[in-house]
């Protein structure tokens, strides 16, 4: 995806060669540009909502294995990738915006334990569209969702990924 602050109009996206369209929108769904490839074939889009719907449809109809791969492409919240500075620019902005970089040592340890317990139970990372949350709300949501059934939690993660994608799309496309 392009750098922070870069905006495109829907007309520009509709007119782009497919490879450029995928390069621009490939980060909407974390490390999964094939969702943008699927949407590119459905152009032109009349509005941003129809572009978002095409992306969502690609995810929703991808099948369980592709959905699991998408979920697993996301970093843990305040996890190892964040500590090592390996997050995408988008994930770094999102996690910092929620104050995860301000965690106390106790909060950071709690998040690490929740990440480990969650991964052990579900086999994929906890996904939350953190915009609008602070670190306390994130920890509370994490603790609440760890009791979900695996199928419920996978669908919850997919729904959260759609929210993340919508936020990223709204940030990228000028209205």
């Amino acid at each position: 995806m392009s750098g922070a602050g870069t905006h495109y109009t829907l007309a520009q996206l509709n007119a782009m060669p497919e490879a450029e369209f995928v390069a621009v929108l490939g980060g909407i769904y974390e490390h999964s540009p094939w969702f943008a490839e699927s949407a590119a074939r459905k152009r032109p889009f009349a509005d941003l909502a129809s572009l978002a719907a095409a992306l969502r449809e690609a995810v929703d109809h991808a099948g369980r294995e592709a959905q699991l791969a998408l979920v697993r492409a996301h970093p843990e919240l305040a996890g190892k990738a964040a500590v090592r500075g390996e997050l995408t620019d988008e994930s770094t902005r999102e996690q910092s915006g929620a104050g995860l970089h301000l965690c106390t040592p106790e909060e950071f340890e709690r998040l690490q334990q929740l990440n480990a317990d969650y991964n052990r139970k579900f086999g994929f990372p906890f996904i939350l569209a953190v915009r609008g949350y602070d670190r306390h709300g994130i920890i509370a949501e994490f603790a609440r969702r760890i009791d979900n059934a695996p199928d419920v939690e996978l669908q919850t993660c997919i729904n959260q990924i759609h929210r993340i994608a919508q936020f990223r799309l709204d940030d990228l496309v000028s209205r």
Side-chain angles (χ1 to χ4, degrees), residues 120-134:
R120 192 171 21 265
K121 178 175 182 178
F122 297 112
F124 50 82
F126 174 78
I127 308 296
L128 179 66
V130 296
R131 195 175 292 188
Y133 282 86
D134 64 13

PDB file of all heavy atoms in Angstrom, residues 120-134:
ATOM      1  N   ARG A 120      -2.872 -20.617  21.660  1.00  0.00           N
ATOM      2  CA  ARG A 120      -2.931 -22.034  22.038  1.00  0.00           C
ATOM      3  C   ARG A 120      -4.352 -22.576  21.834  1.00  0.00           C
ATOM      4  O   ARG A 120      -4.545 -23.670  21.331  1.00  0.00           O
ATOM      5  CB  ARG A 120      -2.481 -22.194  23.492  1.00  0.00           C
ATOM      6  CG  ARG A 120      -2.214 -23.598  23.923  1.00  0.00           C
ATOM      7  CD  ARG A 120      -1.546 -23.739  25.304  1.00  0.00           C
ATOM      8  NE  ARG A 120      -1.647 -22.627  26.244  1.00  0.00           N
ATOM      9  CZ  ARG A 120      -0.715 -21.671  26.402  1.00  0.00           C
ATOM     10  NH1 ARG A 120       0.397 -21.686  25.686  1.00  0.00           N
ATOM     11  NH2 ARG A 120      -0.886 -20.707  27.286  1.00  0.00           N
ATOM     12  N   LYS A 121      -5.348 -21.799  22.202  1.00  0.00           N
ATOM     13  CA  LYS A 121      -6.733 -22.252  22.092  1.00  0.00           C
ATOM     14  C   LYS A 121      -7.232 -22.262  20.650  1.00  0.00           C
ATOM     15  O   LYS A 121      -7.879 -23.217  20.215  1.00  0.00           O
ATOM     16  CB  LYS A 121      -7.653 -21.363  22.943  1.00  0.00           C
ATOM     17  CG  LYS A 121      -9.124 -21.772  22.832  1.00  0.00           C
ATOM     18  CD  LYS A 121     -10.018 -20.992  23.757  1.00  0.00           C
ATOM     19  CE  LYS A 121     -11.464 -21.495  23.605  1.00  0.00           C
ATOM     20  NZ  LYS A 121     -12.372 -20.790  24.516  1.00  0.00           N
ATOM     21  N   PHE A 122      -6.935 -21.191  19.900  1.00  0.00           N
ATOM     22  CA  PHE A 122      -7.552 -21.036  18.581  1.00  0.00           C
ATOM     23  C   PHE A 122      -6.626 -21.342  17.411  1.00  0.00           C
ATOM     24  O   PHE A 122      -7.103 -21.631  16.313  1.00  0.00           O
ATOM     25  CB  PHE A 122      -8.108 -19.615  18.426  1.00  0.00           C
ATOM     26  CG  PHE A 122      -9.197 -19.288  19.403  1.00  0.00           C
ATOM     27  CD1 PHE A 122      -8.992 -18.346  20.401  1.00  0.00           C
ATOM     28  CD2 PHE A 122     -10.426 -19.925  19.332  1.00  0.00           C
ATOM     29  CE1 PHE A 122      -9.990 -18.049  21.310  1.00  0.00           C
ATOM     30  CE2 PHE A 122     -11.441 -19.626  20.247  1.00  0.00           C
ATOM     31  CZ  PHE A 122     -11.214 -18.685  21.238  1.00  0.00           C
ATOM     32  N   GLY A 123      -5.324 -21.220  17.594  1.00  0.00           N
ATOM     33  CA  GLY A 123      -4.395 -21.472  16.500  1.00  0.00           C
ATOM     34  C   GLY A 123      -4.220 -20.295  15.558  1.00  0.00           C
ATOM     35  O   GLY A 123      -3.708 -20.439  14.452  1.00  0.00           O
ATOM     36  N   PHE A 124      -4.656 -19.122  15.988  1.00  0.00           N
ATOM     37  CA  PHE A 124      -4.477 -17.893  15.210  1.00  0.00           C
ATOM     38  C   PHE A 124      -4.461 -16.718  16.180  1.00  0.00           C
ATOM     39  O   PHE A 124      -4.881 -16.850  17.327  1.00  0.00           O
ATOM     40  CB  PHE A 124      -5.548 -17.721  14.127  1.00  0.00           C
ATOM     41  CG  PHE A 124      -6.983 -17.884  14.586  1.00  0.00           C
ATOM     42  CD1 PHE A 124      -7.676 -16.856  15.203  1.00  0.00           C
ATOM     43  CD2 PHE A 124      -7.655 -19.087  14.365  1.00  0.00           C
ATOM     44  CE1 PHE A 124      -8.997 -17.002  15.608  1.00  0.00           C
ATOM     45  CE2 PHE A 124      -8.967 -19.249  14.768  1.00  0.00           C
ATOM     46  CZ  PHE A 124      -9.642 -18.208  15.384  1.00  0.00           C
ATOM     47  N   PRO A 125      -3.958 -15.555  15.717  1.00  0.00           N
ATOM     48  CA  PRO A 125      -3.861 -14.394  16.616  1.00  0.00           C
ATOM     49  C   PRO A 125      -5.213 -13.714  16.842  1.00  0.00           C
ATOM     50  O   PRO A 125      -6.106 -13.773  15.995  1.00  0.00           O
ATOM     51  CB  PRO A 125      -2.895 -13.452  15.889  1.00  0.00           C
ATOM     52  CG  PRO A 125      -3.040 -13.805  14.455  1.00  0.00           C
ATOM     53  CD  PRO A 125      -3.336 -15.286  14.419  1.00  0.00           C
ATOM     54  N   PHE A 126      -5.332 -13.088  17.987  1.00  0.00           N
ATOM     55  CA  PHE A 126      -6.486 -12.269  18.331  1.00  0.00           C
ATOM     56  C   PHE A 126      -6.502 -11.057  17.399  1.00  0.00           C
ATOM     57  O   PHE A 126      -5.496 -10.374  17.245  1.00  0.00           O
ATOM     58  CB  PHE A 126      -6.342 -11.812  19.786  1.00  0.00           C
ATOM     59  CG  PHE A 126      -7.376 -10.831  20.254  1.00  0.00           C
ATOM     60  CD1 PHE A 126      -8.650 -11.256  20.601  1.00  0.00           C
ATOM     61  CD2 PHE A 126      -7.063  -9.487  20.374  1.00  0.00           C
ATOM     62  CE1 PHE A 126      -9.593 -10.348  21.058  1.00  0.00           C
ATOM     63  CE2 PHE A 126      -7.992  -8.575  20.833  1.00  0.00           C
ATOM     64  CZ  PHE A 126      -9.271  -9.014  21.173  1.00  0.00           C
ATOM     65  N   ILE A 127      -7.648 -10.802  16.790  1.00  0.00           N
ATOM     66  CA  ILE A 127      -7.793  -9.666  15.875  1.00  0.00           C
ATOM     67  C   ILE A 127      -8.852  -8.725  16.435  1.00  0.00           C
ATOM     68  O   ILE A 127      -9.966  -9.143  16.766  1.00  0.00           O
ATOM     69  CB  ILE A 127      -8.217 -10.114  14.459  1.00  0.00           C
ATOM     70  CG1 ILE A 127      -7.320 -11.196  13.906  1.00  0.00           C
ATOM     71  CG2 ILE A 127      -8.310  -8.902  13.522  1.00  0.00           C
ATOM     72  CD1 ILE A 127      -5.897 -10.797  13.677  1.00  0.00           C
ATOM     73  N   LEU A 128      -8.497  -7.466  16.518  1.00  0.00           N
ATOM     74  CA  LEU A 128      -9.430  -6.437  16.952  1.00  0.00           C
ATOM     75  C   LEU A 128      -9.123  -5.161  16.187  1.00  0.00           C
ATOM     76  O   LEU A 128      -7.958  -4.754  16.111  1.00  0.00           O
ATOM     77  CB  LEU A 128      -9.286  -6.179  18.462  1.00  0.00           C
ATOM     78  CG  LEU A 128     -10.188  -5.110  19.066  1.00  0.00           C
ATOM     79  CD1 LEU A 128     -11.660  -5.530  18.998  1.00  0.00           C
ATOM     80  CD2 LEU A 128      -9.784  -4.820  20.512  1.00  0.00           C
ATOM     81  N   ALA A 129     -10.144  -4.570  15.600  1.00  0.00           N
ATOM     82  CA  ALA A 129      -9.987  -3.247  14.983  1.00  0.00           C
ATOM     83  C   ALA A 129      -9.867  -2.264  16.148  1.00  0.00           C
ATOM     84  O   ALA A 129     -10.854  -1.920  16.778  1.00  0.00           O
ATOM     85  CB  ALA A 129     -11.187  -2.923  14.097  1.00  0.00           C
ATOM     86  N   VAL A 130      -8.644  -1.861  16.457  1.00  0.00           N
ATOM     87  CA  VAL A 130      -8.370  -1.136  17.700  1.00  0.00           C
ATOM     88  C   VAL A 130      -8.759   0.337  17.664  1.00  0.00           C
ATOM     89  O   VAL A 130      -8.765   0.987  18.714  1.00  0.00           O
ATOM     90  CB  VAL A 130      -6.894  -1.289  18.131  1.00  0.00           C
ATOM     91  CG1 VAL A 130      -6.576  -2.742  18.446  1.00  0.00           C
ATOM     92  CG2 VAL A 130      -5.944  -0.720  17.095  1.00  0.00           C
ATOM     93  N   ARG A 131      -9.083   0.858  16.502  1.00  0.00           N
ATOM     94  CA  ARG A 131      -9.462   2.269  16.433  1.00  0.00           C
ATOM     95  C   ARG A 131     -10.683   2.493  17.324  1.00  0.00           C
ATOM     96  O   ARG A 131     -11.678   1.787  17.216  1.00  0.00           O
ATOM     97  CB  ARG A 131      -9.768   2.666  14.994  1.00  0.00           C
ATOM     98  CG  ARG A 131      -9.814   4.166  14.795  1.00  0.00           C
ATOM     99  CD  ARG A 131      -9.996   4.563  13.354  1.00  0.00           C
ATOM    100  NE  ARG A 131      -8.824   4.239  12.548  1.00  0.00           N
ATOM    101  CZ  ARG A 131      -8.673   4.621  11.288  1.00  0.00           C
ATOM    102  NH1 ARG A 131      -9.612   5.338  10.691  1.00  0.00           N
ATOM    103  NH2 ARG A 131      -7.591   4.288  10.617  1.00  0.00           N
ATOM    104  N   GLY A 132     -10.577   3.463  18.211  1.00  0.00           N
ATOM    105  CA  GLY A 132     -11.661   3.744  19.147  1.00  0.00           C
ATOM    106  C   GLY A 132     -11.492   3.055  20.498  1.00  0.00           C
ATOM    107  O   GLY A 132     -12.263   3.306  21.421  1.00  0.00           O
ATOM    108  N   TYR A 133     -10.507   2.176  20.603  1.00  0.00           N
ATOM    109  CA  TYR A 133     -10.208   1.502  21.866  1.00  0.00           C
ATOM    110  C   TYR A 133      -8.966   2.125  22.491  1.00  0.00           C
ATOM    111  O   TYR A 133      -8.092   2.610  21.783  1.00  0.00           O
ATOM    112  CB  TYR A 133      -9.878   0.013  21.641  1.00  0.00           C
ATOM    113  CG  TYR A 133     -11.060  -0.886  21.413  1.00  0.00           C
ATOM    114  CD1 TYR A 133     -11.596  -1.061  20.142  1.00  0.00           C
ATOM    115  CD2 TYR A 133     -11.633  -1.600  22.467  1.00  0.00           C
ATOM    116  CE1 TYR A 133     -12.662  -1.908  19.926  1.00  0.00           C
ATOM    117  CE2 TYR A 133     -12.705  -2.449  22.257  1.00  0.00           C
ATOM    118  CZ  TYR A 133     -13.213  -2.601  20.992  1.00  0.00           C
ATOM    119  OH  TYR A 133     -14.277  -3.436  20.775  1.00  0.00           O
ATOM    120  N   ASP A 134      -8.883   2.040  23.812  1.00  0.00           N
ATOM    121  CA  ASP A 134      -7.615   2.307  24.482  1.00  0.00           C
ATOM    122  C   ASP A 134      -7.074   0.964  24.960  1.00  0.00           C
ATOM    123  O   ASP A 134      -7.721  -0.067  24.785  1.00  0.00           O
ATOM    124  CB  ASP A 134      -7.777   3.317  25.632  1.00  0.00           C
ATOM    125  CG  ASP A 134      -8.658   2.815  26.770  1.00  0.00           C
ATOM    126  OD1 ASP A 134      -8.983   1.603  26.839  1.00  0.00           O
ATOM    127  OD2 ASP A 134      -9.028   3.640  27.623  1.00  0.00           O
TER     128      ASP A 134
END
